[in-house]
Amino acid sequence: MAESWDGSYDPGSQSDDSHIFERLHIEPIYDAFVCPLTKQVMHDPVTSENGQTFEREAIEKWFKECKESGRKLVCPLTLKEVKSTDLKPSIALRNTIEEWNARNEAVQLDVARRLLNLNSSESDVLLALKFVQNICQKSRSSKHIARSAGLIPMIIDMLKSSSRKVRYRALETLRIVVEDNDDNKEIFAEGDTVRTIVKFLSHEQSKEREEAVSLLYELSKTEALCEKIGAINGAILMLVGMTSSNSENILTVEKADKTLENLEKSENNVHQMAENGRLQPLLTQILEGPPETKLAMANFLGELVLNNDVKVVVVRTVGSSLINLMRSGNMQSREAALKALNQVSCDASAKVLIEAGILPPLVRDLFSVGANQLPMRLKEVAATILANVVNSGYDLESIPVGTDHQTLVSEDIVHSLLHLISNTGPGIECKLLQVLVGLTSSPSTVQNVVAAIKSSGATISLVQFIEAPQKDLRLASIKLLQNLSPQMGQELADALRGTVGQLGSLIKVISENVGITEEQPAAIGLLAELPERDLGLTRQMLDEGAFQLVYTRVVKIRQGETKGGRFVTPFLEGLVRVLSRVTFVLADEPAAVELCRANNLAALFVELLQTNGLDNVQMNSATALENLSLETKNLTRLPDLPTPGCCASIFPCLSKQPVISGLCPVHRGTCSLRESFCLLEGQVVEKLVALLDHANEKVVEAALAAISTLLDDGVAIEQGVKVLCDAEGIRPVLDVLLEKRTDNLRRRAVWVVERLLRTDEIAYEVSGDPNVSTALVDAFQHADYRTRQIAEHALKHVDRLPNFSGVFPNMG
């Protein structure tokens, strides 16, 4: 029999390879066994009315086709008409064929068993596997043959073959062997067989991978094997990956998905699926599972790390269920729900949570006392959720959270938050401060919080958190105070001046030289918002070296020595604004003048004018230059002129002063940018003029204010006009007037234009420009009282109004 084996088998052939096995008969195939239609050995022989025997399925199909085509019923062999389609089973023949098959299959099984080993040739193994498939596909009951003959372990061994074709055929055979046969599946629960099959999921050969998925799908129908599959490291991850792959065969994707559905029978598998991005089974258990399952799944959800998009999906699916669980009286359920909600609450999911009604039970859990109150560790979780929700920017003014329709910004609720902050530990203090940070980040709610803080007298308490050793707590307090500072600047300045250590702690935060973190921009932003003309605070900052430190940080950022990613810009903006603060007290504080001279701050601010894209830096730098330039007339060193002699009093022609070269034409003395902050040095005026065309009107206003110091009382105005002409600044100033972008800009522009028009040449030239005259007339008619006065004076310069003396008091 071995010699009759056909070794020329082509593994890629689509023919029925089992025919070769059928030639291995201990008895010949009798003609009576073969159906004349199919030419195959019959399984269910039947006899027609004319005595001919056929395979039942084949003759029934023949008769059906005759009827459907309208032909006469004829015998397919004799072609003679038959009157009836009745068929009689040939029981004796069927029994004979079955006995014949059994004897021959025994021989064939023996051959297959001897050939199923790793030493056989590829073609022999492929044919043996095909034969097993053929046996098992004959009927559902025939699958026991493979088990009883001990073939299943042999087929499993073929998965180790070096031949891809053998491995693929072995996977295919195993799938056929276990289909609808739990007894055969039990063999796979032993040893590492399932692990071996799972390894095929990572194979590059898609055919092997596809067949492995199909086999796992069959095995996953048995609950015991679900545990086995899920316990193999990476199995669920690979299956989840296949379900979301665009490169896999669609049928394979469906099989992988169905396999995962079967694996959901195991709670551990559901956990793994959730960890690997397949959350729906876990969410379904939370929605539909029994109470103990809901609790277990909520607990697990609280341990998952999810991205924000997934959090939104989770909240939309089970948010209401978790909130209901949180409302329950059972402490275990409340804890599980709180931890899960903490994990899924974020800016993106806040709206869904708020609309699902999360705020009232959260606030209740935070403030409640008594037997059913939450332990402090869970109150901290509740505070974290509230902070996450509040910091989303959602409008909270209209959301009731208390029994008397209070909202989170109602005075008594804010008072309760402040009380809790003062009487708990650092963890919950930090989260509650973050809640207040969120509430004060919105222009619509900050006023309510400010009013509540003032009425509770909590300012000093909040300021003291600046000294907290815990970085998160300190950051939250600084961010809160920064949000409050535009509304409570003077109160915070008084608190910082009146307490020991807080100002120094802020300066210490700013001085940290380990890169720029979120805390540093917040700290400098808080200082930047405090009243600029608070002389006491500025002096304290001078005494503590704050301005010298700020100057150093600005220089390092400009030189590229300080790195900080997204925090660099807000940090630099805050630093420049704080540094500009020292220029507001020059007239009252000699130490401020000395600081500016020693560090050449005027030159630094001029350099910062050119930081394109940083509007706040440019604006504050221009403002600082305005302040410095205003002080120039007090710092300019005037020349020592000789005292006129007695002859000069008798003969005035002899009293003419000598001409001294090298003096500043505007300030009439010896000037420099470093010593007296004069803007005529280093093309400062040209750089300020360039900013008059800036898109940000606040930058334009600051630049125009700095330019106007050259036309101010106490300086040579006509020389200031000349400087502006030389810098080609006349037209840009007129354009600012014509654009009428804001009231402040118009007010400032009218003032500057009036000073320019005092020069006859400019007045003559402008008188021919109807647009300028129209803009001045508009200001004269619609601006504030003082601006109308100035506009009227300007109109007189261009002869648009008669110049009656005494109409207005001396304009100076």
Side-chain angles (χ1 to χ4, degrees):
M1 288 186 183
E3 290 175 355
S4 67
W5 187 270
D6 186 353
S8 64
Y9 168 73
D10 177 9
S13 171
Q14 297 300 313
S15 64
D16 186 359
D17 305 313
S18 60
H19 286 315
I20 298 174
F21 265 100
E22 290 176 2
R23 293 204 297 270
L24 302 175
H25 299 140
I26 58 174
E27 299 175 19
I29 299 177
Y30 299 99
D31 290 342
F33 291 0
V34 178
C35 172
L37 292 177
T38 66
K39 310 302 182 186
Q40 302 287 325
V41 175
M42 292 182 285
H43 298 287
D44 185 12
V46 292
T47 303
S48 63
E49 69 172 31
N50 64 353
Q52 298 294 329
T53 301
F54 305 94
E55 179 70 59
R56 179 186 292 277
E57 185 179 351
I59 190 60
E60 286 179 346
K61 182 179 178 183
W62 170 268
F63 286 151
K64 181 181 178 184
E65 289 175 353
C66 287
K67 289 180 179 179
E68 289 176 351
S69 63
R71 302 196 309 266
K72 291 181 179 180
L73 288 176
V74 295
C75 172
L77 289 181
T78 64
L79 297 181
K80 292 181 179 180
E81 185 176 353
V82 293
K83 297 178 180 179
S84 172
T85 59
D86 291 342
L87 302 170
K88 294 180 181 179
S90 299
I91 297 174
L93 179 59
R94 183 175 64 190
N95 291 338
T96 302
I97 292 173
E98 286 177 354
E99 291 171 1
W100 178 86
N101 272 329
R103 291 192 297 274
N104 284 294
E105 281 178 3
V107 175
Q108 294 164 352
L109 279 170
D110 183 61
V111 174
R113 191 165 36 244
R114 286 188 284 108
L115 294 175
L116 280 175
N117 67 77
L118 295 174
N119 295 321
S120 298
S121 67
E122 179 185 88
S123 57
D124 286 354
V125 175
L126 289 171
L127 283 170
L129 291 171
K130 192 65 179 176
F131 169 68
V132 176
Q133 291 182 18
N134 189 54
I135 291 289
C136 292
Q137 287 172 327
K138 286 184 176 180
S139 68
R140 181 176 297 184
S141 60
S142 66
K143 295 186 179 183
H144 78 280
I145 297 173
R147 183 177 70 257
S148 59
L151 289 174
I152 295 179
M154 295 180 179
I155 301 170
I156 291 171
D157 281 342
M158 295 303 102
L159 297 177
K160 301 172 186 176
S161 170
S162 59
S163 166
R164 290 200 302 266
K165 294 176 182 177
V166 168
R167 294 195 301 266
Y168 170 75
R169 183 65 59 81
L171 288 166
E172 182 182 51
T173 306
L174 289 171
R175 172 180 56 79
I176 294 169
V177 165
V178 300
E179 278 177 346
D180 302 319
N181 193 299
D182 291 341
D183 292 335
N184 285 356
K185 290 176 185 176
E186 287 179 3
I187 297 174
F188 287 78
E190 303 166 3
D192 285 340
T193 304
V194 175
R195 183 184 300 276
T196 303
I197 297 167
V198 167
K199 287 181 181 178
F200 283 97
L201 298 181
S202 61
H203 276 213
E204 293 182 4
Q205 294 298 319
S206 60
K207 286 291 184 183
E208 290 176 63
R209 188 167 62 247
E210 290 167 12
E211 198 56 57
V213 172
S214 296
L215 175 53
L216 286 173
Y217 168 62
E218 292 300 328
L219 296 176
S220 68
K221 294 176 182 179
T222 301
E223 193 165 339
L225 285 171
C226 285
E227 294 278 0
K228 184 88 174 178
I229 295 169
I232 296 169
N233 185 35
I236 288 177
L237 173 59
M238 286 187 281
L239 287 168
V240 170
M242 294 176 80
T243 61
S244 57
S245 172
N246 293 323
S247 60
E248 294 287 352
N249 180 296
I250 185 65
L251 295 177
T252 304
V253 172
E254 290 177 2
K255 280 286 173 64
D257 192 61
K258 289 179 179 179
T259 303
L260 288 168
E261 288 178 8
N262 291 338
L263 296 181
E264 292 171 17
K265 301 184 188 84
S266 163
E267 193 171 293
N268 288 332
N269 291 346
V270 172
H271 289 181
Q272 281 196 64
M273 290 178 202
E275 287 174 335
N276 292 301
R278 188 180 174 94
L279 280 164
Q280 194 54 52
L282 182 141
L283 302 182
T284 301
Q285 294 281 24
I286 292 176
L287 288 172
E288 302 172 3
E292 62 276 9
T293 302
K294 285 186 177 183
L295 180 61
M297 293 300 169
N299 272 318
F300 186 73
L301 180 59
E303 299 170 5
L304 285 177
V305 178
L306 308 171
N307 64 46
N308 286 349
D309 290 340
V310 175
K311 288 179 181 180
V312 174
V313 173
V314 172
V315 168
R316 284 180 178 153
T317 307
V318 298
S320 296
S321 296
L322 291 173
I323 292 170
N324 289 334
L325 203 59
M326 184 177 69
R327 288 192 178 104
S328 71
N330 182 287
M331 190 60 70
Q332 280 186 319
S333 298
R334 291 167 70 187
E335 179 172 356
L338 281 169
K339 289 182 176 178
L341 287 166
N342 179 39
Q343 202 63 19
V344 299
S345 59
C346 64
D347 290 355
S349 64
K351 181 176 183 292
V352 184
L353 286 171
I354 291 170
E355 291 173 353
I358 194 172
L359 290 179
L362 265 185
V363 172
R364 179 205 66 194
D365 283 346
L366 273 174
F367 298 152
S368 63
V369 293
N372 203 33
Q373 72 172 349
L374 289 177
M376 197 56 67
R377 63 183 177 82
L378 292 184
K379 284 196 174 189
E380 184 177 335
V381 177
T384 305
I385 299 169
L386 187 58
N388 292 342
V389 170
V390 168
N391 280 280
S392 67
Y394 192 88
D395 181 13
L396 300 167
E397 284 185 290
S398 58
I399 309 296
V401 297
T403 53
D404 297 325
H405 302 287
Q406 305 104 314
T407 68
L408 277 177
V409 292
S410 296
E411 187 175 52
D412 53 344
I413 297 293
V414 177
H415 283 175
S416 296
L417 286 170
L418 293 169
H419 176 75
L420 204 56
I421 288 170
S422 301
N423 294 277
T424 51
I428 191 170
E429 285 171 345
C430 176
K431 300 306 178 184
L432 293 173
L433 285 172
Q434 288 175 4
V435 171
L436 291 178
V437 169
L439 293 175
T440 54
S441 297
S442 168
S444 62
T445 55
V446 64
Q447 294 284 5
N448 302 66
V449 179
V450 166
I453 290 173
K454 288 181 177 179
S455 65
S456 68
T459 305
I460 297 294
S461 300
L462 293 175
V463 169
Q464 288 174 346
F465 282 111
I466 293 174
E467 293 185 282
Q470 298 86 2
K471 187 171 183 178
D472 288 346
L473 178 56
R474 190 172 64 239
L475 172 61
S477 70
I478 293 172
K479 289 173 73 173
L480 172 60
L481 296 174
Q482 182 188 11
N483 288 352
L484 295 173
S485 56
Q487 312 289 334
M488 298 179 61
Q490 194 58 58
E491 291 90 337
L492 295 177
D494 293 342
L496 286 169
R497 276 191 283 103
T499 54
V500 179
Q502 277 79 32
L503 182 59
S505 296
L506 274 180
I507 295 170
K508 183 179 178 182
V509 169
I510 296 164
S511 68
E512 290 180 359
N513 203 17
V514 289
I516 304 171
T517 63
E518 185 180 8
E519 190 176 14
Q520 291 172 302
I524 200 71
L526 168 57
L527 285 176
E529 288 290 348
L530 299 179
E532 294 146 336
R533 299 186 187 277
D534 188 320
L535 183 58
L537 182 61
T538 302
R539 280 177 174 162
Q540 191 170 339
M541 291 173 68
L542 278 165
D543 292 342
E544 298 198 23
F547 294 111
Q548 187 64 49
L549 167 67
V550 168
Y551 166 76
T552 303
R553 297 308 306 261
V554 171
V555 170
K556 286 187 175 180
I557 290 175
R558 295 289 294 164
Q559 292 174 347
E561 296 179 19
T562 303
K563 306 297 181 184
R566 60 193 173 99
F567 298 119
V568 171
T569 296
F571 189 43
L572 179 60
E573 289 176 343
L575 289 170
V576 172
R577 187 172 176 188
V578 169
L579 192 59
S580 71
R581 179 190 183 89
V582 78
T583 67
F584 285 86
V585 298
L586 295 172
D588 303 304
E589 185 53 59
V593 176
E594 287 308 310
L595 178 82
C596 292
R597 284 173 169 170
N599 295 289
N600 199 7
L601 289 192
L604 176 62
F605 286 124
V606 171
E607 181 186 340
L608 291 168
L609 286 178
Q610 300 172 84
T611 50
N612 295 327
L614 299 179
D615 294 4
N616 290 332
V617 171
Q618 291 176 305
M619 178 184 68
N620 288 308
S621 298
T623 299
L625 289 171
E626 176 196 4
N627 294 336
L628 290 165
S629 182
L630 285 171
E631 194 63 20
T632 302
K633 56 192 175 189
N634 300 321
L635 300 175
T636 296
R637 188 160 50 84
L638 298 175
D640 296 326
L641 299 176
T643 305
C646 60
C647 295
S649 61
I650 301 172
F651 304 103
C653 62
L654 300 175
S655 65
K656 185 176 180 182
Q657 296 288 348
V659 177
I660 302 174
S661 62
L663 298 181
C664 172
V666 175
H667 301 107
R668 306 184 187 91
T670 303
C671 283
S672 71
L673 184 61
R674 181 172 194 135
E675 295 297 324
S676 62
F677 320 134
C678 179
L679 300 185
L680 270 63
E681 184 182 312
Q683 295 185 318
V684 181
V685 178
E686 287 84 347
K687 291 167 184 173
L688 289 168
V689 167
L691 291 179
L692 296 181
D693 190 39
H694 201 283
N696 188 328
E697 59 269 10
K698 291 184 178 180
V699 175
V700 177
E701 185 180 343
L704 191 58
I707 290 170
S708 67
T709 61
L710 301 177
L711 308 173
D712 203 5
D713 298 332
V715 303
I717 296 176
E718 68 284 355
Q719 292 299 322
V721 172
K722 184 176 183 305
V723 168
L724 201 54
C725 283
D726 293 342
E728 298 182 355
I730 304 300
R731 189 70 246 175
V733 170
L734 295 175
D735 288 341
V736 172
L737 174 66
L738 296 176
E739 289 174 4
K740 297 185 294 186
R741 293 164 71 176
T742 66
D743 289 341
N744 284 340
L745 260 182
R746 179 165 70 173
R747 187 181 304 114
R748 180 74 68 177
V750 168
W751 187 93
V752 175
V753 168
E754 190 278 327
R755 297 279 164 139
L756 295 176
L757 293 178
R758 294 181 187 184
T759 302
D760 292 340
E761 292 86 350
I762 295 176
Y764 176 76
E765 186 175 341
V766 169
S767 64
D769 188 338
N771 292 326
V772 175
S773 298
T774 300
L776 289 170
V777 169
D778 184 68
F780 173 63
Q781 293 175 338
H782 302 109
D784 61 79
Y785 175 72
R786 180 60 179 160
T787 304
R788 290 203 308 271
Q789 285 184 314
I790 299 171
E792 180 174 355
H793 213 65
L795 287 168
K796 289 178 182 178
H797 294 318
V798 294
D799 296 328
R800 289 296 303 271
L801 285 175
N803 191 9
F804 298 120
S805 60
V807 174
F808 294 114
N810 187 2
M811 308 260 317

